[in-house]
Amino acid sequence: MKNSICISVKKLIILTALFLCPTFMFASIGIGAQGGWNFTNAEQCIDASLSLKFSKTPFTFTLETGVNEGYLSLGLATDYWHKNPTLTGMIRYYFGPGLTFSFSNLLSDAFEFYIGARFVTGLNVFLWTPLEVYLQSAFELGFSTTYKFTWYIPLSLGTRVWF
């Protein structure tokens, strides 16, 4: 079953990429990594993610992993930056709604699927033209097959390089 789930996740990622390519072909692309800690009423873990942002759209896409002793999760989050105005000097802030889903406990027989809505807030700064650094938090409410109603608060520090 785990093998078929991995194949399904791979197919979903490839189909999403193929769908997005024509839409954002002429946009600048920011690709980067983020890491942090996930506070929750379920399984707490260290997060490591790959972030993707297109300059011509307010959407941000994040391929997420969560790791703990004997625990592994893989997921995808999409956030809509409602605003990204200047706070002071080079520092900008952003906020907006998003959606997330993940497959958890992939290393055990207690497989879990999670889907939820989230509200993201963050600070970002361009240290120089191609390099963006950001600090982000989100509040997630969702449904899990293991814990039923679940909440998460991921806190992340990340960077994106723009091409």
Side-chain angles (χ1 to χ4, degrees):
M1 180 171 170
K2 291 179 191 176
N3 204 9
S4 65
I5 293 168
C6 289
I7 291 170
S8 297
V9 170
K10 288 177 187 176
K11 286 180 182 178
L12 179 65
I13 291 168
I14 290 169
L15 286 174
T16 302
L18 290 174
F19 173 76
L20 293 174
C21 282
T23 307
F24 306 116
M25 186 184 287
F26 300 105
S28 296
I29 299 172
I31 301 173
Q34 71 184 40
W37 184 257
N38 198 347
F39 300 93
T40 178
N41 67 332
E43 187 74 37
Q44 294 188 5
C45 59
I46 296 171
D47 285 338
S49 305
L50 179 65
S51 174
L52 179 66
K53 176 99 173 78
F54 296 95
S55 64
K56 300 208 183 253
T57 179
F59 291 100
T60 301
F61 303 93
T62 309
L63 183 60
E64 304 173 323
T65 61
V67 186
N68 201 345
E69 186 177 334
Y71 177 85
L72 175 66
S73 70
L74 296 172
L76 181 66
T78 302
D79 298 317
Y80 175 84
W81 288 12
H82 178 67
K83 298 274 185 181
N84 188 212
T86 300
L87 182 63
T88 181
M90 296 182 349
I91 301 173
R92 301 173 66 88
Y93 69 97
Y94 57 91
F95 62 92
L99 296 172
T100 184
F101 72 90
S102 65
F103 300 97
S104 301
N105 290 328
L106 297 174
L107 300 178
S108 73
D109 292 332
F111 172 77
E112 174 186 359
F113 175 74
Y114 169 78
I115 187 166
R118 59 193 253 145
F119 188 80
V120 66
T121 59
L123 298 171
N124 64 326
V125 62
F126 282 87
L127 297 177
W128 64 86
T129 304
L131 183 64
E132 175 188 13
V133 176
Y134 60 94
L135 178 64
Q136 174 177 291
S137 69
F139 181 70
E140 298 179 5
L141 292 174
F143 178 79
S144 149
T145 55
T146 303
Y147 297 101
K148 306 303 179 216
F149 181 73
T150 306
W151 57 268
Y152 291 93
I153 303 176
L155 301 173
S156 304
L157 178 63
T159 185
R160 274 187 284 267
V161 177
W162 287 82
F163 302 94

